[in-house]
Amino acid sequence: MLFDRLFSRWALGWLLAAVGVPVLLAAALLVGRALTAGPAPAPVAAAPTAAIPPAPDEPSPSPEESVPAAAPAPDDLPVVTYDPAPGGFPADPGPADTRPLAEGLTPTRTVAAYDAPGGRPLAFLAPTISGVELTVPIVERRVGWTAVLLPSANRRIAWLPEGGWSTAALPDQIVVERRPHRLTWFRDGRAVRSWEVSLGMPGQSTPLGRTFVLGRTPPPQDVYGGVDIFALGAIPDDPGAVPTGLRGAHIGLHSWYTDDTLGKNVTNGCIRLTRSGQRQLLAALRPGTAVVVVDQLPAPPATA
């Protein structure tokens, strides 16, 4: 199940109007076009339990370190949108790292994205994608430069020089384990809840690695169970393997009209959980929240 392209200006749209519900049920579910920002996180009543250690403190740069200069960015560089991101960006140095990414970056103006500190400018990051404010998790820092997960790409990062962006706290994290078909919600590095989930079918597996919540969209069909959907920053690993009507779509996190398929590989790559679980996540998670998909954690979370 995949998210199709989105209309801008936060409007609710319908995904692939020519595709009927029987096709949705057979080929997996399509998602509406309009992303909206999530509500303010609701208070969490569950008592957290330890599961994921916090990331170690980063060393302070020495005064002798120099800041690599940012080369001027040509005006005709592409802008990263909902479509697959331009190529040439480096691989995520820790795609399976489950330590929390506790800080996000939000462009306050259009900023150039580089392939390395002092490297080549390859694209622009705008303050919004499809009308929704863009927040991307920070994965690494060097003197004068910050690396973030790249939207509309899998396991890729972009380097940004200082200026033109602000930061925001990201207290939550989602970890998805493919073998046990389990999703666990963490807050401040501690497990809050775990749910059984459905994942991608053979040939259209849910992509491994770190990604993030891009935004949310109202459900365009009853098959979603009447619950809003999260669009993720990830796209199919093999876009040609998905049905034609789903080309250009994103991976999503959503519920379904029935829970009968939980624990199975039946989707076109999306992550499907219960309606009650999705409602809890919708009330808690903000755009930019990190999502990491691994085969299996070394030990089950205490909430499993």
Side-chain angles (χ1 to χ4, degrees):
M1 289 144 319
L2 304 166
F3 283 83
D4 196 15
R5 301 171 188 276
L6 312 175
F7 288 130
S8 62
R9 301 180 183 273
W10 307 62
L12 168 62
W14 290 95
L15 173 71
L16 301 174
V19 181
V21 170
V23 177
L24 291 172
L25 295 173
L29 119 112
L30 304 179
V31 177
R33 298 181 174 231
L35 285 178
T36 60
V44 179
T49 53
I52 294 182
D57 293 336
E58 296 183 16
S60 299
S62 65
E64 292 78 16
E65 289 183 274
S66 61
V67 179
D75 293 337
D76 60 352
L77 287 181
V79 177
V80 176
T81 66
Y82 198 76
D83 293 323
F89 285 97
D92 181 358
D97 191 342
T98 57
R99 290 177 296 176
L101 299 176
E103 191 174 24
L105 180 153
T106 299
T108 55
R109 57 174 171 80
T110 300
V111 294
Y114 294 73
D115 63 355
R120 298 175 300 157
L122 299 179
F124 289 113
L125 284 182
T128 63
I129 289 181
S130 296
V132 175
E133 182 179 274
L134 176 65
T135 299
V136 287
I138 295 172
V139 299
E140 188 176 348
R141 276 195 169 96
R142 298 183 189 173
V143 180
W145 292 83
T146 301
V148 300
L149 293 180
L150 189 66
S152 306
N154 295 344
R155 300 174 295 277
R156 296 284 166 179
I157 64 170
W159 286 93
L160 306 180
E162 295 296 327
W165 47 265
S166 61
T167 59
L170 300 175
D172 298 294
Q173 180 193 34
I174 297 297
V175 176
V176 177
E177 300 172 83
R178 296 201 307 190
R179 288 176 186 165
H181 292 83
R182 180 168 55 226
L183 179 151
T184 302
W185 165 30
F186 293 88
R187 172 158 287 183
D188 297 323
R190 296 178 178 271
V192 178
R193 284 290 306 274
S194 293
W195 292 273
E196 186 178 37
V197 292
S198 303
L199 298 171
M201 66 182 71
Q204 299 179 50
S205 297
T206 303
L208 291 167
R210 298 190 290 191
T211 184
F212 60 97
V213 172
L214 186 63
R216 61 187 280 177
T217 178
Q221 298 284 355
D222 290 341
V223 289
Y224 296 102
V227 183
D228 281 6
I229 302 148
F230 279 128
L232 304 183
I235 60 176
D237 276 335
D238 182 2
V242 301
T244 302
L246 299 177
R247 303 289 167 81
H250 275 223
I251 303 298
L253 170 61
H254 57 77
S255 59
W256 195 238
Y257 76 101
T258 176
D259 293 337
D260 291 346
T261 62
L262 294 176
K264 301 176 182 179
N265 295 326
V266 295
T267 79
N268 292 112
C270 284
I271 304 158
R272 184 192 296 172
L273 79 162
T274 65
R275 282 160 282 186
S276 62
Q278 180 73 357
R279 290 189 182 99
Q280 290 184 56
L281 297 182
L282 287 165
L285 306 187
R286 58 153 293 160
T289 296
V291 178
V292 58
V293 180
V294 298
D295 279 328
Q296 192 162 3
L297 292 171
T303 51

